[in-house]
Amino acid sequence: MAIGKMRSRIQLQQKSTSTDGGGSAAVITWTTFATTFGSIEPKSGQERLFGDQLQEPITHIITIRFRTDLTFNNRLKYTAINSGVSTSRVFNIKRVINKENQNKYLEIMCVEGVST
C-alpha cells in the first residue's frame, strides 16, 4: 500500500469498566492508547436478519501499519475537522488480519456505529 493513502489519523481505544459508588452499575469508558495513520475504505451499509438474529456485515476496512497490541476488544475512532466543525466516527472491530502474514500492515474489518 502506498504510504500516501494512509492519511487518516486514527485513535486506537481500549475499554475499561468500573462500578459506580454503590457498586452496582458498570460505567464503561474508552481511552486512547495510541494514535496512528491509516486508510479507511467503505465496503457496505446494511443489516440483515438471519435465523432471528440481527447480523451486521463489515462496513469498512481500515488499514494501518502492523502492531501487536490491537484486538477485536478495542475500537477505532476517527475525528475529522471540516470548516472548523469536528465530527467523530467510531468503528467497532470485528476482525484484525495480518495482511499477507508479513507483519507490515493490518487489515481491520469494522462496523461503524456506537460501540458495544
Side-chain angles (χ1 to χ4, degrees):
M1 166 170 286
I3 197 70
K5 290 186 177 186
M6 299 175 66
R7 60 181 171 263
S8 300
R9 190 175 182 141
I10 300 168
Q11 298 175 26
L12 311 179
Q13 297 186 327
Q14 62 188 9
K15 178 172 45 173
S16 59
T17 56
S18 60
T19 57
D20 65 358
S24 59
V27 177
I28 298 172
T29 57
W30 290 91
T31 55
T32 300
F33 66 89
T35 302
T36 187
F37 285 91
S39 70
I40 302 172
E41 182 182 343
K43 284 297 178 187
S44 67
Q46 64 179 353
E47 292 180 342
R48 63 178 179 225
L49 193 63
F50 181 75
D52 293 334
Q53 289 185 329
L54 186 64
Q55 291 185 335
E56 298 177 88
I58 301 304
T59 61
H60 291 78
I61 295 179
I62 299 175
T63 305
I64 64 171
R65 289 194 178 275
F66 180 81
R67 49 187 314 129
T68 59
D69 58 352
L70 188 68
T71 68
F72 66 90
N73 293 322
N74 303 116
R75 77 175 189 184
L76 305 176
K77 184 177 179 183
Y78 170 67
T79 303
I81 300 174
N82 190 4
S83 300
V85 178
S86 175
T87 56
S88 294
R89 299 168 67 189
V90 175
F91 298 94
N92 300 308
I93 299 173
K94 296 300 179 185
R95 288 186 286 285
V96 179
I97 298 170
N98 181 359
K99 193 170 180 180
E100 298 175 7
N101 286 326
Q102 293 187 357
N103 296 346
K104 290 184 180 181
Y105 300 104
L106 292 178
E107 278 190 347
I108 307 162
M109 298 184 182
C110 303
V111 174
E112 184 175 9
V114 179
S115 61
T116 55

